[in-house]
Coordinates of all heavy atoms in Angstrom, one line a residue:
M1 N -20.2 12.3 -0.3 CA -19.2 13.3 0.1 C -19.7 14.2 1.2 O -20.7 14.8 1.0 CB -18.6 14.1 -1.0 CG -17.9 13.3 -2.0 SD -16.0 13.2 -1.5 CE -15.4 12.5 -2.9
V2 N -18.9 14.5 2.3 CA -19.4 15.4 3.3 C -18.3 16.5 3.4 O -17.1 16.1 3.3 CB -19.7 14.7 4.7 CG1 -20.8 13.9 4.6 CG2 -18.3 13.9 5.1
K3 N -18.7 17.7 3.7 CA -17.7 18.7 4.1 C -17.0 18.4 5.3 O -17.6 18.1 6.4 CB -18.4 20.1 4.1 CG -17.4 21.1 4.4 CD -18.0 22.6 4.4 CE -16.8 23.5 4.7 NZ -17.1 24.9 5.1
I4 N -15.6 18.4 5.3 CA -14.9 18.2 6.6 C -14.1 19.4 7.0 O -13.7 19.4 8.2 CB -14.0 17.0 6.4 CG1 -12.9 17.2 5.4 CG2 -14.8 15.7 6.1 CD1 -11.8 16.1 5.4
G5 N -14.0 20.3 6.2 CA -13.3 21.6 6.6 C -13.0 22.5 5.4 O -13.6 22.3 4.3
N6 N -12.1 23.3 5.5 CA -11.7 24.3 4.6 C -10.4 23.9 4.1 O -9.4 23.6 4.8 CB -11.6 25.7 5.3 CG -11.6 26.7 4.4 OD1 -10.7 26.8 3.5 ND2 -12.5 27.7 4.6
A7 N -10.1 23.9 2.8 CA -9.0 23.5 2.1 C -7.8 24.4 2.6 O -6.7 23.9 2.8 CB -9.0 23.6 0.6
N8 N -8.1 25.6 3.0 CA -7.0 26.4 3.5 C -6.5 26.2 4.8 O -5.6 26.7 5.4 CB -7.5 28.0 3.4 CG -7.8 28.4 2.0 OD1 -7.2 27.9 1.1 ND2 -8.9 29.2 2.0
D9 N -7.3 25.1 5.6 CA -6.9 24.8 6.8 C -5.6 24.0 6.9 O -5.0 23.8 8.0 CB -8.0 24.0 7.5 CG -9.3 24.7 7.9 OD1 -9.2 26.0 7.9 OD2 -10.3 24.1 8.2
V10 N -5.2 23.5 5.9 CA -4.0 22.6 5.8 C -2.9 23.1 4.9 O -2.9 23.2 3.7 CB -4.4 21.1 5.2 CG1 -3.3 20.1 5.5 CG2 -5.7 20.7 5.8
A11 N -2.1 23.7 5.7 CA -0.9 24.5 5.0 C 0.1 23.4 4.3 O 0.2 22.3 4.6 CB -0.1 25.1 5.9
D12 N 0.8 24.0 3.2 CA 1.7 23.0 2.5 C 2.7 22.4 3.5 O 3.3 23.0 4.3 CB 2.4 23.9 1.5 CG 3.2 23.1 0.5 OD1 3.1 21.8 0.6 OD2 3.9 23.7 -0.4
G13 N 2.9 21.1 3.4 CA 3.8 20.4 4.2 C 3.3 20.0 5.6 O 4.0 19.4 6.3
Q14 N 1.9 20.3 5.7 CA 1.4 20.0 7.1 C 0.3 18.9 7.0 O -0.1 18.7 6.0 CB 0.7 21.3 7.6 CG 1.5 22.5 7.8 CD 2.6 22.5 8.8 OE1 2.3 22.1 9.9 NE2 3.9 22.6 8.5
M15 N 0.0 18.4 8.2 CA -1.2 17.5 8.3 C -2.2 18.1 9.3 O -1.8 18.8 10.2 CB -0.7 16.2 8.9 CG 0.3 15.6 8.0 SD 0.9 13.9 8.6 CE 2.0 14.5 9.9
R16 N -3.4 17.6 9.1 CA -4.4 18.1 10.2 C -5.5 17.1 10.2 O -5.8 16.4 9.3 CB -5.0 19.4 9.6 CG -6.0 20.0 10.5 CD -6.1 21.5 10.4 NE -7.1 21.8 11.3 CZ -7.5 23.1 11.5 NH1 -6.9 24.1 10.8 NH2 -8.6 23.3 12.3
V17 N -5.8 16.9 11.4 CA -6.9 15.8 11.7 C -8.3 16.5 11.7 O -8.6 17.5 12.4 CB -6.6 15.0 13.0 CG1 -7.7 14.1 13.4 CG2 -5.2 14.5 12.9
F18 N -9.2 15.9 11.1 CA -10.6 16.2 11.0 C -11.4 15.0 11.5 O -11.1 13.9 11.1 CB -11.1 16.6 9.7 CG -10.4 17.8 9.0 CD1 -9.2 17.6 8.3 CD2 -10.9 19.1 9.3 CE1 -8.6 18.7 7.8 CE2 -10.2 20.2 8.8 CZ -9.0 19.9 8.0
V19 N -12.4 15.1 12.3 CA -13.3 14.0 12.6 C -14.4 13.9 11.6 O -15.2 14.8 11.5 CB -13.7 14.2 14.1 CG1 -14.7 13.0 14.4 CG2 -12.7 14.2 15.0
V20 N -14.5 12.7 10.9 CA -15.5 12.4 10.0 C -16.3 11.2 10.4 O -15.8 10.0 10.5 CB -14.9 12.2 8.6 CG1 -16.0 12.0 7.6 CG2 -14.0 13.3 8.2
D21 N -17.6 11.5 10.8 CA -18.3 10.4 11.3 C -17.7 9.6 12.4 O -17.7 8.3 12.4 CB -18.7 9.3 10.1 CG -20.1 9.3 9.7 OD1 -20.9 10.0 10.4 OD2 -20.4 8.6 8.8
G22 N -17.1 10.3 13.4 CA -16.5 9.7 14.5 C -15.0 9.0 14.2 O -14.5 8.5 15.1
T23 N -14.6 9.1 12.9 CA -13.4 8.6 12.6 C -12.3 9.8 12.5 O -12.7 10.7 11.8 CB -13.4 7.7 11.3 OG1 -14.3 6.7 11.5 CG2 -11.9 7.2 10.9
K24 N -11.1 9.6 13.0 CA -10.1 10.7 12.8 C -9.5 10.5 11.3 O -8.8 9.5 11.2 CB -9.1 10.4 13.8 CG -9.5 11.0 15.2 CD -8.5 11.0 16.2 CE -9.0 11.5 17.6 NZ -7.9 11.0 18.7
V25 N -9.7 11.6 10.6 CA -9.1 11.4 9.4 C -8.0 12.5 9.2 O -8.2 13.6 9.6 CB -10.3 11.8 8.3 CG1 -9.7 12.0 6.8 CG2 -11.3 10.6 8.2
N26 N -6.9 12.1 8.7 CA -5.8 13.0 8.5 C -5.8 13.5 7.1 O -5.9 12.8 6.2 CB -4.5 12.2 8.8 CG -3.2 13.1 8.8 OD1 -3.1 14.0 8.1 ND2 -2.4 12.6 9.6
V27 N -5.7 14.8 6.9 CA -5.5 15.4 5.7 C -4.1 16.0 5.6 O -3.7 16.8 6.4 CB -6.6 16.5 5.3 CG1 -6.3 17.2 3.9 CG2 -7.9 15.9 5.3
A28 N -3.2 15.5 4.5 CA -2.0 16.0 4.4 C -1.9 16.7 3.2 O -2.4 16.4 2.1 CB -1.1 14.8 4.3
N29 N -1.1 17.8 3.3 CA -0.8 18.8 2.2 C 0.6 18.5 1.6 O 1.5 18.8 2.3 CB -1.0 20.2 2.5 CG -1.0 21.0 1.3 OD1 -0.2 20.9 0.3 ND2 -1.5 22.3 1.4
A30 N 0.8 17.7 0.6 CA 2.1 17.5 0.0 C 2.3 18.4 -1.3 O 1.6 18.1 -2.4 CB 2.3 16.0 -0.4
S31 N 3.0 19.4 -1.2 CA 3.3 20.3 -2.3 C 2.0 20.8 -3.0 O 1.8 20.8 -4.2 CB 4.1 19.6 -3.4 OG 5.3 19.2 -2.8
G32 N 1.0 21.1 -2.1 CA -0.3 21.7 -2.7 C -1.3 20.5 -3.1 O -2.5 20.9 -3.3
H33 N -0.9 19.3 -3.0 CA -1.9 18.3 -3.3 C -2.4 17.7 -2.0 O -1.5 17.4 -1.0 CB -1.3 17.1 -4.1 CG -0.9 17.5 -5.4 ND1 -1.8 17.6 -6.4 CD2 0.3 17.9 -6.1 CE1 -1.2 18.0 -7.6 NE2 0.1 18.3 -7.4
L34 N -3.6 17.6 -1.7 CA -4.3 17.1 -0.5 C -4.6 15.6 -0.6 O -5.2 15.2 -1.6 CB -5.5 18.0 -0.2 CG -5.2 19.5 0.0 CD1 -6.5 20.2 0.1 CD2 -4.4 19.7 1.3
Y35 N -4.2 15.1 0.5 CA -4.6 13.6 0.6 C -5.2 13.2 1.9 O -4.8 13.7 3.0 CB -3.3 12.7 0.3 CG -2.6 12.9 -0.9 CD1 -1.5 13.8 -1.0 CD2 -3.0 12.3 -2.1 CE1 -0.7 14.1 -2.2 CE2 -2.3 12.6 -3.4 CZ -1.3 13.5 -3.3 OH -0.7 13.7 -4.5
A36 N -6.3 12.3 1.9 CA -7.0 11.9 3.2 C -6.8 10.4 3.4 O -6.8 9.6 2.6 CB -8.4 12.2 3.1
F37 N -6.5 10.2 4.7 CA -6.3 8.8 5.2 C -6.6 8.7 6.7 O -6.6 9.6 7.4 CB -4.9 8.3 4.9 CG -3.8 9.2 5.3 CD1 -3.2 9.1 6.6 CD2 -3.5 10.4 4.6 CE1 -2.2 9.9 7.0 CE2 -2.5 11.3 5.0 CZ -1.9 11.1 6.2
D38 N -6.9 7.5 7.1 CA -7.1 7.3 8.6 C -5.9 7.6 9.4 O -4.7 7.4 9.0 CB -7.4 5.8 8.9 CG -8.8 5.4 8.5 OD1 -9.6 6.4 8.3 OD2 -9.1 4.2 8.6
D39 N -6.2 8.5 10.4 CA -5.1 9.1 11.1 C -4.4 8.1 12.2 O -3.4 8.2 12.7 CB -5.6 10.3 12.0 CG -4.4 10.9 12.7 OD1 -3.5 11.3 12.1 OD2 -4.5 11.0 14.0
T40 N -5.1 6.9 12.2 CA -4.6 5.9 13.3 C -3.7 4.9 12.6 O -4.0 4.1 11.7 CB -6.0 5.2 13.8 OG1 -6.9 6.1 14.3 CG2 -5.4 4.2 14.9
C41 N -2.5 4.9 13.1 CA -1.4 4.1 12.6 C -1.9 2.6 12.9 O -2.4 2.2 14.0 CB -0.1 4.3 13.5 SG 1.2 3.2 12.8
T42 N -1.7 1.8 11.7 CA -2.1 0.3 11.9 C -1.2 -0.5 12.8 O -1.5 -1.6 12.9 CB -2.2 -0.3 10.5 OG1 -1.0 -0.1 9.8 CG2 -3.3 0.4 9.6
H43 N 0.0 0.1 13.1 CA 0.8 -0.7 14.0 C 0.2 -0.8 15.5 O -0.4 -1.8 15.9 CB 2.3 -0.1 14.1 CG 3.2 -0.9 14.9 ND1 3.9 -0.2 15.9 CD2 3.3 -2.3 15.1 CE1 4.7 -1.2 16.5 NE2 4.3 -2.3 16.2
M44 N 0.2 0.3 16.2 CA -0.3 0.3 17.5 C -1.2 1.4 17.8 O -1.5 1.8 19.1 CB 0.8 0.1 18.6 CG 1.5 -1.2 18.6 SD 2.7 -1.5 19.8 CE 1.8 -1.6 21.3
G45 N -1.7 2.0 16.8 CA -2.8 3.0 17.0 C -2.4 4.5 17.3 O -3.2 5.3 17.7
C46 N -1.1 4.8 17.2 CA -0.8 6.2 17.4 C -1.3 7.2 16.3 O -1.6 6.7 15.3 CB 0.9 6.4 17.4 SG 1.6 5.7 18.8
S47 N -1.5 8.5 16.7 CA -1.9 9.4 15.7 C -0.7 9.7 14.8 O 0.3 10.3 15.2 CB -2.4 10.7 16.4 OG -2.5 11.7 15.5
L48 N -1.0 9.5 13.5 CA 0.1 9.8 12.4 C 0.3 11.4 12.4 O 1.4 11.8 12.0 CB -0.5 9.4 11.1 CG -0.4 7.8 11.0 CD1 -1.0 7.4 9.6 CD2 1.0 7.2 11.2
A49 N -0.7 12.1 12.8 CA -0.6 13.6 12.8 C 0.6 14.1 13.7 O 1.2 15.2 13.7 CB -1.8 14.3 13.2
N50 N 0.8 13.2 14.6 CA 1.9 13.6 15.6 C 3.3 13.2 14.9 O 4.5 13.4 15.6 CB 1.8 12.8 16.8 CG 0.7 13.2 17.7 OD1 0.3 14.4 17.6 ND2 0.1 12.4 18.5
G51 N 3.4 12.5 13.8 CA 4.5 12.2 13.1 C 5.0 13.3 12.2 O 4.7 14.4 12.3
E52 N 5.8 12.9 11.2 CA 6.4 13.8 10.3 C 6.0 13.5 8.8 O 6.0 12.4 8.4 CB 7.9 13.6 10.3 CG 8.5 14.0 11.6 CD 9.4 15.2 11.5 OE1 9.7 15.7 10.4 OE2 9.6 15.9 12.5
L53 N 5.7 14.7 8.1 CA 5.4 14.5 6.7 C 6.5 15.1 5.9 O 7.1 16.2 6.1 CB 4.2 15.4 6.4 CG 3.7 15.4 5.0 CD1 3.2 13.9 4.6 CD2 2.6 16.3 4.8
E54 N 7.1 14.1 5.0 CA 8.2 14.5 4.1 C 7.8 14.2 2.7 O 7.7 13.0 2.6 CB 9.4 13.8 4.5 CG 10.5 14.7 5.3 CD 11.7 14.1 5.4 OE1 12.0 13.3 6.3 OE2 12.6 14.3 4.5
G55 N 7.5 15.2 1.8 CA 6.9 14.8 0.6 C 5.7 14.1 0.8 O 4.7 14.6 1.4
T56 N 5.5 13.0 0.1 CA 4.3 12.3 0.3 C 4.4 11.0 1.3 O 3.6 10.1 1.3 CB 3.8 11.6 -1.1 OG1 4.9 10.8 -1.6 CG2 3.4 12.7 -2.1
T57 N 5.5 11.1 2.2 CA 5.7 10.0 3.1 C 5.5 10.6 4.5 O 5.8 11.6 4.9 CB 7.1 9.5 3.1 OG1 7.3 9.1 1.7 CG2 7.4 8.4 4.1
V58 N 4.5 9.8 5.2 CA 4.3 10.1 6.7 C 5.1 9.1 7.5 O 5.0 8.0 7.2 CB 2.9 10.4 7.0 CG1 2.1 9.0 6.9 CG2 2.7 10.8 8.5
T59 N 5.8 9.7 8.6 CA 6.5 8.7 9.4 C 5.8 8.7 10.8 O 5.8 9.9 11.4 CB 7.9 9.1 9.7 OG1 8.6 9.1 8.4 CG2 8.7 8.2 10.6
C60 N 5.4 7.7 11.3 CA 4.8 7.6 12.6 C 5.7 7.9 13.8 O 6.9 7.4 13.7 CB 4.2 6.2 12.8 SG 3.3 6.0 14.4
A61 N 5.3 8.7 14.7 CA 6.3 9.3 15.7 C 6.6 8.1 16.7 O 7.5 8.0 17.4 CB 5.7 10.4 16.5
C62 N 5.6 7.1 16.8 CA 5.9 6.1 17.9 C 7.0 5.1 17.5 O 7.8 4.8 18.4 CB 4.4 5.4 18.1 SG 3.3 6.4 18.9
H63 N 6.9 4.4 16.4 CA 7.8 3.4 16.1 C 8.4 3.5 14.9 O 9.0 2.5 14.3 CB 7.3 1.9 16.4 CG 6.6 1.8 17.6 ND1 5.2 2.0 17.7 CD2 6.9 1.6 18.9 CE1 4.7 1.9 18.9 NE2 5.7 1.7 19.7
G64 N 8.1 4.6 14.1 CA 8.8 4.8 12.8 C 8.3 4.1 11.5 O 8.9 4.2 10.5
S65 N 7.0 3.6 11.7 CA 6.4 3.1 10.4 C 6.3 4.2 9.4 O 6.0 5.4 9.9 CB 5.1 2.6 10.7 OG 5.2 1.3 11.4
Q66 N 6.3 3.9 8.2 CA 6.1 4.9 7.2 C 5.1 4.5 6.2 O 4.9 3.4 5.8 CB 7.5 5.2 6.3 CG 8.5 5.8 7.1 CD 9.7 6.2 6.3 OE1 10.1 5.4 5.3 NE2 10.4 7.2 6.7
F67 N 4.2 5.5 5.8 CA 3.1 5.2 4.9 C 3.2 6.3 3.7 O 3.6 7.4 3.9 CB 1.8 5.4 5.6 CG 1.5 4.5 6.8 CD1 1.9 4.9 8.0 CD2 1.0 3.1 6.5 CE1 1.7 3.9 9.1 CE2 0.8 2.4 7.5 CZ 1.2 2.7 8.9
D68 N 2.7 5.8 2.6 CA 2.6 6.7 1.4 C 1.2 7.3 1.6 O 0.2 6.7 1.6 CB 2.7 5.8 0.2 CG 2.5 6.7 -1.2 OD1 2.0 7.8 -1.0 OD2 2.9 6.2 -2.2
V69 N 1.2 8.7 1.8 CA 0.0 9.3 1.9 C -1.0 9.4 0.7 O -2.2 9.6 0.8 CB 0.1 10.9 2.4 CG1 0.9 11.0 3.7 CG2 0.7 11.8 1.3
T70 N -0.4 9.0 -0.4 CA -1.4 9.0 -1.7 C -2.1 7.8 -1.7 O -3.1 7.7 -2.5 CB -0.4 9.3 -3.0 OG1 0.4 7.9 -3.1 CG2 0.5 10.4 -2.8
S71 N -1.6 6.8 -1.2 CA -2.4 5.5 -1.3 C -2.7 4.8 0.1 O -3.5 3.8 0.1 CB -1.7 4.5 -2.1 OG -0.4 4.2 -1.4
G72 N -2.0 5.2 1.1 CA -2.1 4.5 2.5 C -1.2 3.3 2.6 O -1.0 2.7 3.5
A73 N -0.4 3.0 1.5 CA 0.5 1.8 1.6 C 1.6 2.0 2.5 O 2.1 3.0 2.8 CB 1.2 1.7 0.0
V74 N 2.0 0.9 3.1 CA 3.2 0.8 4.0 C 4.5 0.9 3.2 O 4.7 0.1 2.3 CB 3.0 -0.6 4.9 CG1 4.3 -0.6 5.7 CG2 1.8 -0.7 5.6
L75 N 5.2 1.8 3.7 CA 6.7 1.9 3.0 C 7.7 1.3 3.8 O 8.7 0.9 3.4 CB 7.0 3.3 2.8 CG 6.0 4.2 1.9 CD1 6.3 5.5 1.7 CD2 5.9 3.5 0.4
R76 N 7.5 1.3 5.1 CA 8.4 0.7 6.2 C 7.7 0.4 7.4 O 6.7 0.9 7.9 CB 9.4 1.8 6.4 CG 10.7 1.3 7.3 CD 11.7 2.2 7.6 NE 11.2 3.2 8.6 CZ 11.9 4.3 9.2 NH1 12.9 4.5 8.5 NH2 11.4 5.0 10.1
G77 N 8.1 -0.8 8.0 CA 7.4 -1.4 9.1 C 7.9 -0.7 10.4 O 8.6 0.3 10.2
P78 N 7.5 -1.1 11.5 CA 6.8 -2.4 11.9 C 5.3 -2.5 11.3 O 4.8 -3.6 11.3 CB 6.8 -2.4 13.3 CG 7.0 -1.0 13.8 CD 7.8 -0.3 12.8
A79 N 4.6 -1.5 11.0 CA 3.2 -1.6 10.5 C 3.3 -2.5 9.3 O 4.3 -2.6 8.5 CB 2.6 -0.3 10.1
Q80 N 2.2 -3.4 9.2 CA 2.1 -4.4 8.1 C 0.8 -4.0 7.2 O 0.9 -4.5 6.1 CB 2.0 -5.8 8.6 CG 3.2 -6.1 9.5 CD 3.5 -7.7 9.5 OE1 2.6 -8.4 9.4 NE2 4.8 -7.9 9.8
R81 N -0.1 -3.4 7.8 CA -1.3 -3.2 7.0 C -1.4 -1.7 6.6 O -0.9 -0.9 7.4 CB -2.5 -3.5 7.9 CG -2.8 -5.0 7.9 CD -4.0 -5.3 9.0 NE -3.7 -4.9 10.4 CZ -4.3 -4.0 11.1 NH1 -5.3 -3.4 10.6 NH2 -3.8 -3.7 12.2
P82 N -1.8 -1.4 5.4 CA -2.0 0.0 5.0 C -3.0 0.7 5.8 O -3.8 0.1 6.5 CB -2.5 -0.1 3.5 CG -3.1 -1.5 3.5 CD -2.3 -2.4 4.4
V83 N -2.9 2.0 5.9 CA -3.9 2.8 6.5 C -5.0 3.1 5.3 O -4.7 3.1 4.1 CB -3.5 4.2 7.0 CG1 -2.7 4.0 8.4 CG2 -2.6 5.0 6.1
R84 N -6.2 3.3 5.6 CA -7.2 3.4 4.7 C -7.2 4.8 4.2 O -7.0 5.8 4.8 CB -8.7 3.3 5.3 CG -9.8 3.3 4.3 CD -11.1 3.1 5.2 NE -11.3 4.2 6.2 CZ -12.4 4.9 6.3 NH1 -13.5 4.6 5.5 NH2 -12.5 5.8 7.3
S85 N -7.2 4.8 2.8 CA -7.0 6.1 2.1 C -8.4 6.5 1.7 O -9.3 5.7 1.2 CB -6.2 5.8 0.8 OG -6.2 6.8 0.0
L86 N -8.8 7.7 1.8 CA -10.2 8.2 1.6 C -10.1 9.1 0.3 O -9.3 10.1 0.2 CB -10.8 9.0 2.7 CG -11.2 8.2 3.9 CD1 -10.1 8.0 4.8 CD2 -12.3 8.9 4.5
P87 N -11.2 8.9 -0.7 CA -11.3 10.0 -1.7 C -11.6 11.3 -1.1 O -12.4 11.4 -0.1 CB -12.6 9.4 -2.3 CG -12.7 8.1 -2.0 CD -12.2 7.9 -0.6
L88 N -10.9 12.3 -1.8 CA -11.0 13.7 -1.2 C -11.3 14.6 -2.3 O -10.6 14.3 -3.5 CB -9.7 14.1 -0.6 CG -9.6 15.4 0.2 CD1 -10.5 15.2 1.5 CD2 -8.2 15.6 0.6
Q89 N -12.1 15.6 -2.2 CA -12.4 16.5 -3.4 C -12.2 18.0 -2.7 O -12.6 18.1 -1.6 CB -13.8 16.3 -3.7 CG -14.0 15.7 -5.1 CD -15.4 15.5 -5.5 OE1 -16.2 16.5 -5.3 NE2 -15.7 14.3 -6.0
V90 N -11.7 18.7 -3.6 CA -11.7 20.2 -3.2 C -12.7 20.9 -4.1 O -12.5 20.8 -5.3 CB -10.3 20.8 -3.3 CG1 -10.3 22.3 -2.9 CG2 -9.3 20.0 -2.4
N91 N -13.7 21.6 -3.5 CA -14.7 22.3 -4.2 C -14.7 23.7 -3.8 O -15.1 24.1 -2.7 CB -16.0 21.6 -3.9 CG -17.1 22.2 -4.7 OD1 -16.9 23.0 -5.6 ND2 -18.4 21.7 -4.5
G92 N -14.0 24.6 -4.6 CA -13.9 25.9 -4.1 C -12.9 25.8 -3.0 O -11.7 25.4 -3.2
D93 N -13.2 26.4 -1.9 CA -12.3 26.2 -0.7 C -12.7 25.1 0.2 O -12.4 25.0 1.4 CB -11.8 27.5 0.0 CG -13.0 28.2 0.5 OD1 -14.1 27.7 0.3 OD2 -13.0 29.4 1.0
E94 N -14.0 24.3 -0.2 CA -14.4 23.4 0.7 C -13.7 22.1 0.6 O -13.3 21.6 -0.5 CB -15.9 23.1 0.4 CG -16.8 24.2 1.0 CD -18.3 23.8 0.9 OE1 -18.6 22.9 0.1 OE2 -19.1 24.4 1.5
L95 N -13.5 21.4 1.6 CA -12.8 20.1 1.6 C -13.8 19.0 1.8 O -14.5 19.0 2.8 CB -11.8 20.0 2.8 CG -10.5 19.2 2.7 CD1 -9.7 19.5 1.4 CD2 -9.6 19.7 3.8
L96 N -14.0 18.2 0.8 CA -15.0 17.2 0.9 C -14.4 15.8 1.0 O -13.5 15.5 0.2 CB -15.9 17.2 -0.3 CG -16.6 18.6 -0.6 CD1 -17.3 18.6 -2.0 CD2 -17.7 19.0 0.4
A97 N -14.9 15.0 1.9 CA -14.4 13.6 1.9 C -15.4 12.6 1.9 O -16.6 12.9 2.4 CB -13.5 13.4 3.2
E98 N -15.1 11.4 1.6 CA -16.1 10.4 1.6 C -16.0 9.6 3.0 O -14.9 9.2 3.4 CB -15.9 9.2 0.6 CG -17.0 8.6 -0.1 CD -16.8 8.1 -1.4 OE1 -16.3 7.0 -1.5 OE2 -17.1 8.8 -2.3
A99 N -17.1 9.7 3.7 CA -17.1 9.2 5.0 C -17.0 7.7 5.2 O -17.3 7.0 4.2 CB -18.3 9.7 5.8
Ligands
LIG1 S1 2.1 2.9 16.4 FE1 2.9 3.7 14.5 S2 4.7 2.7 14.2 FE2 3.9 1.8 16.1

């Protein structure tokens, strides 16, 4: 686990991108629960952080694919492959992720 930022950096209902080992990792705050996943949409590579977070669903701004932020699973295409979901830990106010 490596420190990627501060838990307070991600407000409720927001997403924020952190670079972990050269990979853009999106941390989403869904009602106070934090989830980490690859920020790159598996459809055509848009940044999911430019999309919309509603509850635990993120919608890609480019072509509307939807992913479940808790697992990375595809909820709606055109994307077919899940985004990688990363284990995340909050230690005090430190945000730790598995690189
Ligand atoms: S790049 Fe995300 S839906 Fe097309």
Side-chain angles (χ1 to χ4, degrees):
M1 290 277 189
V2 291
K3 180 177 178 194
I4 61 169
N6 195 303
N8 302 322
D9 287 349
V10 193
D12 194 2
Q14 304 289 308
M15 296 179 282
R16 183 150 174 184
V17 175
F18 300 91
V19 178
V20 183
D21 244 1
T23 301
K24 286 184 182 163
V25 172
N26 188 325
V27 176
N29 184 333
S31 305
H33 295 278
L34 297 170
Y35 301 98
F37 49 96
D38 278 350
D39 184 57
T40 306
C41 181
T42 57
H43 178 229
M44 288 182 72
C46 287
S47 167
L48 292 174
N50 291 332
E52 293 251 339
L53 179 67
E54 259 192 271
T56 54
T57 300
V58 60
T59 303
C60 181
C62 289
H63 316 97
S65 291
Q66 291 185 327
F67 300 91
D68 181 340
V69 301
T70 70
S71 64
V74 177
L75 299 175
R76 186 177 81 186
Q80 303 208 332
R81 283 174 296 119
V83 287
R84 186 176 59 128
S85 163
L86 284 90
L88 191 69
Q89 253 180 40
V90 180
N91 188 2
D93 58 2
E94 284 191 345
L95 211 48
L96 307 168
E98 214 153 84

